[in-house]
């Protein structure tokens, strides 16, 4: 069978064997949570509780501020003890609501919508917005916004991003296997909102189990089609995924909706299902706790706001000395310096690399080997971008397409001179954006 | 839990195992079959010249880096590659001190004055060869005949019988044929240098360029196994030379012996190991194709119309000079960009 894919890309070792076969475990409800009011792309939510307030599990504590923003809910029952700036795994400090649990786990009752026919697209979008659903692949873009393309864009396909191309991570894979029917229902809900009758589930070939399960469950259903993709990084980058499945190219600096497509992650689909059908706000998620520095790697269902430290202890703690603790996968994840940071909506994995496996690289001069040019999924010339960024030549960076970069890190991965190309590119993007704002 | 100390670095947190040293070492490994072939065909002299070139290349790089107050990076094997490649394009009978001088020139003028590895414009080994050819043209163009392993000459350090190279004899014969002297000369060149002897390397020529099969063995290692080189430059380069040689390489149109042109001289060595030199060749895919086409055209022009019998060295050097321009002209279409 021919596997679909996109041009170029890299083949890192996927290292998923650590947690691939482990069913999702529930982590006990934590005693204390730190819930950042900004866990998503867009404006930070407005805090609607005060210190001393008593909150129930699932109660709204942050109100979406503006169009691109998301509601925030409490993930435990207890008392608000502090509202202060704290570190978040995204690397920035954000205003956080600290809640101390009282041991009970009283849920706020939201309406359960068993019969979807009674709901209009607008009703569903309102529920998704109300329940604070954001993209759970890591980018955390508010889902209700993504489901509301402008009038002039004709959408004909929904793509479910189940590629999970980041090495080590298996949370989406477990959801696909364990919650197959629920994810299918979630897809149906999204299709109803978008008013389309065609959806694809893109699955990489190293997750045959998930592909076969979908094939079996969707037998006879022509509207949703699982598609087997080549195992290649960054297969799960939106633009690469659309290219692989539909052979459409999202225009330079454009969005998937420009080619009639909306892309959502597996975890998001499940969250949408739970929000609409079960009346459950986004207060917990599956996190793959993995790496060779953790005693018992697991796929863990955790409440948002619990600290990395507690999750790591739940998994037996570190083996010897930890070298790096990463929020997300090894390719795009962010290394943490403080493990008291909370799990947030975009935390797909906590990866622990042991100290002895952390290699310190020294940058060598570029030898123009063009390996980065040959792997860049956006057909850029990463080495030139890095060269110009290093010389603060922002105009040249812009000219060479710095804003087309999807920051997948393939260039830095292959570079034999160990130049961290993608970091120079991010630096140039930041700098140019700052100058534009001035 | 006590406070843990964690390393913080930007993503990605995993990297490929390739380093500059490993890439260069792979090139050295790929050159090993040809080194072996050169020793088999030209005797112990070949080994001495290769070792001399490598030693002087590495030594001069070390001295330069110390004098320039730069980190010493001789362990990246790039000077070793330069040394071997320079030795490969020298005649086996060349005195060792001339080879050594070439190596020093290649590193100092070809590479270090530009700022070292990654910054040089021209392929250092070819710079060294061009310098020697200009300075000692007699030494550089007397080719010794290949020796038998059993002959006493094999282990001798003294010059053996010299002869003209295949391309040198071809050029004379071609000129005779063109001026109406008949094609018997050409025919005898073709029969004296059969494709099979050119292929195995049992012919007079530079140290490392004669054995096509040994070079191809190494090239496949680099190309398919290690994937350090892509098809673009070697294929377009060789195909251009072959096609043009077929069209205009004979006394009349469409009578050229293209296999003779592909397997003789330094084309295979140049196409797989010198034109593909990472630092001095274009980085864009289309750029690499243009580079191959241009170099192929230059080889043909020099071989058929030029003053030298062989043009691989100059064709690559000239295209090296054009590389920055080619890169600028051939920026790839960005994903999703409509031109």
């Amino acid at each position: 069978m021919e596997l679909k894919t996109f041009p170029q890309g890299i083949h890192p070792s996927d290292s998923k064997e650590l947690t691939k076969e482990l069913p999702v475990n529930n982590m006990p409800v934590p005693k204390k949570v730190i819930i950042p009011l900004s866990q998503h792309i867009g404006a930070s939510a407005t805090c609607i509780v005060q210190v001393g307030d008593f909150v129930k599990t699932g109660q709204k504590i942050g109100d979406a501020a503006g169009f691109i923003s998301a509601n925030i809910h409490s993930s435990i029952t207890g008392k608000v003890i502090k509202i202060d700036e704290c570190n978040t795994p995204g690397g920035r400090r954000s205003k956080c609501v600290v809640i101390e649990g009282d041991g009970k786990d009283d849920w706020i009752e939201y309406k359960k919508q068993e019969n979807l026919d009674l709901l209009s697209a607008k009703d569903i979008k309102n529920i998704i917005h109300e329940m604070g659903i954001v993209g759970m692949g890591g980018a955390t873009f508010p889902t209700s916004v993504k489901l509301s393309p402008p009038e002039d864009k004709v959408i004909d396909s929904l793509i479910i991003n189940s590629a999970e191309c980041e090495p080590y991570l298996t949370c989406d894979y477990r959801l696909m296997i364990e919650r197959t029917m629920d994810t299918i229902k979630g897809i149906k809900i999204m299709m109803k909102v978008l008013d389309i009758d065609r959806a694809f589930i893109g699955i990489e070939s190293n997750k045959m189990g998930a592909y076969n399960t979908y094939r079996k469950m969707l037998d006879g259903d022509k509207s949703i089609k699982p598609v087997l993709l080549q195992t290649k990084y960054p297969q799960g980058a939106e633009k690469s995924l659309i290219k692989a499945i539909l052979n459409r190219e999202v225009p330079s600096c454009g969005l998937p909706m420009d080619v009639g497509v909306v892309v959502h992650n597996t975890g998001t689909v499940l969250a949408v299902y739970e929000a609409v059908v079960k009346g459950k706000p986004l207060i917990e998620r599956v996190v793959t706790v993995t790496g060779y520095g953790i005693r018992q790697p697991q796929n863990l269902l955790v409440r948002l706001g619990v600290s990395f430290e507690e999750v790591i202890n739940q998994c037996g703690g570190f083996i010897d000395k930890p070298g790096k603790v990463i929020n997300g996968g090894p390719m795009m994840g962010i290394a943490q310096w403080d493990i008291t940071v909370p799990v947030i909506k975009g935390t797909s994995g906590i990866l622990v690399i042991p100290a002895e496996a952390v290699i310190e690289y020294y940058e060598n001069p570029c030898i123009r080997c063009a390996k980065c040019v040959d792997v860049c999924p956006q057909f850029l010339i990463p080495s030139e971008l890095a060269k110009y960024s290093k010389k603060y030549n922002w105009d040249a960076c812009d000219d060479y397409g710095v804003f087309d970069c999807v920051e997948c890190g393939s260039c830095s991965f292959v570079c034999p001179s160990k130049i961290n190309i993608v970091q120079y590119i991010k630096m140039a993007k930041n700098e140019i954006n700052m100058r534009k704002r001035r | 839990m006590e406070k843990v100390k964690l390393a913080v670095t930007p993503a990605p947190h995993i990297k490929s195992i390739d380093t500059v040293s490993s890439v260069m070492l792979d090139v050295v490994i790929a050159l090993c079959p040809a080194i072996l072939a050169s020793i088999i065909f030209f005797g112990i002299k070949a080994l001495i010249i290769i070792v001399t070139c490598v030693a002087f290349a590495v030594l001069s790089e070390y001295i330069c880096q110390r004098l320039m107050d730069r980190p010493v990076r001789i362990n990246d094997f790039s000077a070793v590659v330069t040394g071997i490649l320079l030795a490969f394009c020298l005649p086996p009978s060349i005195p060792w001190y001339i080879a050594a001088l070439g190596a020093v020139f290649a590193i100092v003028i070809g590479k270090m004055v530009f700022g070292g590895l990654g910054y040089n414009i021209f392929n250092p080994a070819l710079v060294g060869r061009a310098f020697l050819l200009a300075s000692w043209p007699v030494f550089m163009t007397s080719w010794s005949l290949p020796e038998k392993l059993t002959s006493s000459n094999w282990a001798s350090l003294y010059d053996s019988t010299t002869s003209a190279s295949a391309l040198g004899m071809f050029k004379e014969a071609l000129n005779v044929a063109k001026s109406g002297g008949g094609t018997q000369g050409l025919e005898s060149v073709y029969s004296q240098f059969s494709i099979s002897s050119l292929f195995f390397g049992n012919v007079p020529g530079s140290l490392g360029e004669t054995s096509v099969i040994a070079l191809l063995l190494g090239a496949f290692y680099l190309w398919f196994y290690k994937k350090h080189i892509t098809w673009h430059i070697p294929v377009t380069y060789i195909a251009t030379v072959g096609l043009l040689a077929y069209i205009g390489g004979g006394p009349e149109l469409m009578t050229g012996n293209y296999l003779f042109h592909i397997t003789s001289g330094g084309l295979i060595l140049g196409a797989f190991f010198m034109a593909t030199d990472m630092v001095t060749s274009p980085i864009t895919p289309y750029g690499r194709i243009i580079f191959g086409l241009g170099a192929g055209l230059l080889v043909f022009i020099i071989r058929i119309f030029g003053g030298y019998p062989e043009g691989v060295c100059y064709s690559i050097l000239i295209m090296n000079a054009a590389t920055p321009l080619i890169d600028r002209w051939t920026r790839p279409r960005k994903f999703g960009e409509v031109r």
Side-chain angles (χ1 to χ4, degrees):
Chain A
M1 189 177 158
E2 206 195 330
L3 301 174
K4 297 201 168 192
T5 193
F6 62 99
Q8 313 207 33
I10 56 169
H11 297 275
S13 146
D14 78 357
S15 308
K16 290 187 195 278
E17 64 282 351
L18 283 173
T19 51
K20 200 177 169 189
E21 302 308 328
L22 304 176
V24 175
N25 282 339
N26 280 330
M27 180 171 167
V29 178
K31 293 272 176 307
K32 186 183 130 188
V33 289
I34 304 166
I35 301 180
L37 288 162
S38 176
Q39 306 189 20
H40 45 263
I41 288 182
S44 171
T46 328
C47 185
I48 54 169
V49 288
Q50 282 167 355
V51 175
D53 282 3
F54 178 80
V55 291
K56 282 182 155 188
T57 308
Q59 185 179 332
K60 186 154 89 172
I61 56 173
D63 211 357
F67 182 56
I68 302 182
S69 184
N71 289 338
I72 305 283
H73 302 79
S74 170
S75 59
I76 57 170
T77 305
K79 214 166 94 178
V80 177
I81 56 166
K82 205 163 77 172
I83 298 173
D84 199 10
E85 293 264 308
C86 294
N87 294 326
T88 68
R92 290 207 174 86
R93 283 172 79 78
S94 155
K95 205 168 162 190
C96 296
V97 177
V98 183
I99 302 166
E100 201 172 52
D102 60 2
K104 292 186 209 113
D105 192 24
D106 284 339
W107 284 66
I108 285 229
E109 290 286 325
Y110 288 95
K111 206 169 169 203
K112 296 185 170 77
Q113 305 285 356
E114 301 285 353
N115 192 347
L116 289 175
D117 295 339
L118 300 174
L119 293 173
S120 72
K122 199 157 176 262
D123 294 337
I124 299 175
K125 271 191 270 187
N126 279 338
I127 297 172
I128 293 171
H129 174 76
E130 198 52 42
M131 297 300 178
I133 313 294
V134 299
M136 291 173 74
T140 62
F141 192 82
T143 303
S144 56
V145 180
K146 232 174 163 183
L147 285 170
S148 317
E151 292 290 327
D152 57 323
K153 303 281 179 201
V154 183
I155 304 295
D156 63 8
S157 311
L158 169 69
I159 292 181
I160 306 305
N161 188 350
S162 303
E164 202 164 48
C165 59
E166 271 278 357
Y168 288 98
L169 302 189
T170 55
C171 50
D172 286 356
Y173 174 72
R174 290 315 303 177
L175 290 181
M176 287 189 272
I177 296 232
E178 296 175 29
R179 309 284 302 270
T180 320
M181 272 328 284
D182 294 345
T183 53
I184 291 174
K185 282 178 195 157
I187 297 169
K188 297 263 177 182
I189 294 171
M190 285 191 171
M191 286 164 75
K192 186 182 158 94
V193 174
L194 293 166
D195 191 25
I196 53 172
D197 53 9
R198 189 161 80 145
F200 300 91
I201 309 173
I203 304 168
E204 276 192 347
S205 60
N206 59 355
K207 289 174 272 294
M208 280 309 286
Y211 176 72
N212 290 332
T213 315
Y214 273 120
R215 280 279 298 267
K216 213 158 65 197
M217 295 288 201
L218 286 166
D219 192 31
D221 192 339
K222 289 274 183 300
S223 61
I224 304 176
K225 194 173 169 232
V227 182
L228 205 55
L229 307 165
Q230 199 180 315
T231 304
K232 191 164 83 174
Y233 183 87
Q235 188 73 74
E238 243 175 16
K239 294 179 176 185
S240 306
L241 192 66
I242 297 169
K243 175 78 183 169
I245 293 179
L246 292 170
N247 196 21
R248 293 183 195 165
E249 272 189 26
V250 177
S252 166
C253 293
L255 290 168
M257 62 184 179
D258 295 329
V259 290
V261 184
V262 169
V263 182
H264 282 287
N265 168 268
T266 314
T268 319
V269 171
L270 190 69
V272 163
Y273 162 79
E274 290 189 323
V276 177
V277 180
K278 303 279 181 201
K280 184 179 154 194
L282 183 53
I283 57 162
E284 56 183 3
R285 70 158 296 147
V286 179
V287 177
T288 305
V289 191
T290 183
Y292 291 94
I294 198 116
R295 211 169 290 276
Q296 295 156 354
Q298 284 178 49
N299 296 296
L300 215 51
L301 182 67
V302 302
R303 294 287 166 93
L304 300 182
V306 62
S307 75
F308 274 34
E309 191 172 1
E310 266 179 80
V311 178
I312 289 163
N313 286 339
Q314 176 71 22
C315 295
F318 298 121
I319 304 175
D320 292 338
K321 260 194 179 157
K324 277 190 201 175
V325 174
I326 294 157
N327 172 48
M331 288 303 294
M332 289 180 79
I334 300 168
Q336 305 297 315
W337 56 274
D338 172 13
I339 55 168
T340 61
V341 291
V343 170
I344 58 171
K345 290 176 180 177
T347 306
S348 45
I350 297 176
L351 170 62
V352 181
I353 299 177
E356 68 267 20
V358 175
I359 306 166
E360 214 172 321
Y361 292 107
Y362 292 93
E363 193 179 296
N364 281 307
C366 170
I367 55 166
R368 292 171 44 86
C369 67
K371 282 179 193 281
C372 54
V373 183
D374 291 336
V375 299
C376 179
Q378 292 301 108
F379 309 156
L380 302 173
I381 310 179
S383 59
E384 294 285 288
L385 285 169
K387 191 177 85 186
Y388 289 128
S389 175
K390 237 188 264 190
K391 290 178 184 157
Y392 308 122
N393 190 344
W394 312 124
D395 291 344
C397 286
D398 210 357
D399 186 37
Y400 272 79
V402 76
F403 283 102
D404 281 278
C405 171
V406 296
E407 301 180 9
C408 67
S410 299
C411 45
S412 301
F413 177 85
V414 293
C415 183
S417 290
K418 306 299 168 198
I419 301 168
N420 206 333
I421 301 171
V422 71
Q423 189 62 18
Y424 285 112
I425 292 177
K426 287 178 191 168
M427 192 173 97
K429 280 182 173 180
N430 257 337
E431 195 67 32
I432 296 169
N433 277 334
M434 259 160 59
R435 268 151 208 258
K436 276 182 187 160
R437 248 179 265 144
R438 241 178 246 157
Chain B
M1 193 189 286
E2 60 179 305
K3 186 111 180 129
V4 286
K5 250 188 168 175
L6 295 170
V8 177
T9 59
H13 306 284
I14 47 174
K15 303 211 172 177
S16 73
I17 51 166
D18 283 338
T19 61
V20 175
S21 315
S22 78
V23 171
M24 293 297 169
L25 195 60
D26 284 335
V27 179
V28 174
I29 293 168
L31 288 167
C32 280
I35 293 176
L36 214 63
S38 73
I39 298 169
I40 290 171
F41 289 123
F42 297 110
I44 208 80
K45 299 187 291 294
L47 185 64
I48 289 171
I49 291 168
I50 293 169
V51 170
T52 309
C53 283
V54 170
F56 276 84
V58 174
L59 192 70
S60 49
E61 177 154 303
Y62 174 79
I63 292 170
C64 275
Q65 283 169 340
R66 290 302 296 266
L67 288 178
M68 292 160 85
D69 212 10
R70 296 201 162 208
V72 172
R73 287 211 179 91
I74 50 167
N75 57 351
D76 65 16
F77 291 101
S78 63
V80 177
V81 172
T82 301
I84 297 174
L85 287 178
L86 173 67
F88 272 17
C89 46
L90 300 178
S93 55
I94 195 151
W96 70 268
Y97 52 89
I98 292 184
L101 210 58
V104 172
F105 191 89
I107 292 294
V108 177
I109 307 297
K111 185 169 157 192
M112 296 314 292
V113 292
F114 291 99
L117 180 67
Y119 301 104
N120 49 306
I121 298 168
F122 299 104
N123 185 321
L126 291 177
V127 170
R129 181 184 186 269
F131 161 73
L132 293 183
L133 186 62
S135 312
W136 288 277
V138 178
F139 279 128
M140 287 295 288
T141 49
S142 48
W143 315 100
S144 43
L145 286 168
E147 309 284 355
K148 292 218 165 43
L149 263 175
T150 46
S151 82
S152 58
N153 255 342
W154 188 81
S156 133
L157 300 183
Y158 298 101
D159 291 356
S160 45
T161 357
T162 58
S163 133
S165 69
L167 283 170
M169 288 164 79
F170 163 80
K171 192 153 209 168
E172 276 174 29
L174 182 70
N175 287 338
V176 171
K178 274 188 174 165
S179 52
T183 57
Q184 301 91 333
L186 267 180
E187 295 302 328
S188 84
V189 173
Y190 291 150
S191 63
Q192 188 184 341
F193 300 100
S194 71
I195 298 301
S196 70
S197 61
L198 285 168
F199 196 71
F200 286 103
N202 194 13
V203 291
S206 297
L207 265 181
E209 70 180 22
T210 58
S211 179
V212 173
I213 183 144
L215 289 166
L216 285 181
L217 215 63
F220 280 116
Y221 171 78
L222 271 193
W223 184 357
F224 292 105
Y225 185 65
K226 286 291 177 183
K227 298 197 164 62
H228 291 323
I229 59 175
T230 58
W231 62 271
H232 303 81
I233 292 176
V235 170
T236 50
Y237 191 7
I238 295 169
T240 309
V241 172
L243 187 73
L244 292 176
Y246 173 70
I247 295 172
E252 281 155 49
L253 277 185
M254 305 297 172
T255 57
N257 186 339
Y258 57 93
L259 272 181
F260 174 83
H261 274 275
I262 289 172
T263 50
S264 60
L267 185 64
I268 299 294
L269 174 67
F272 285 103
F273 294 99
M274 290 169 168
T276 55
D277 170 36
M278 292 163 171
V279 180
T280 55
S281 64
I283 52 178
T284 64
Y286 284 116
R288 282 173 245 167
I289 291 174
I290 293 175
F291 187 96
L293 290 173
L297 178 69
L298 286 167
V299 167
F300 171 75
I301 291 174
I302 297 171
R303 278 188 186 177
I304 305 297
F305 309 106
Y308 289 107
E310 169 63 310
V312 168
C313 168
Y314 288 113
S315 79
I316 295 172
L317 284 174
I318 292 168
M319 290 314 287
N320 284 164
T323 293
L325 212 54
I326 295 174
D327 270 340
R328 198 170 296 181
W329 283 341
T330 56
R331 257 157 62 176
R333 180 191 71 93
K334 288 182 282 189
F335 184 90
E337 183 186 27
V338 188
R339 277 198 180 151

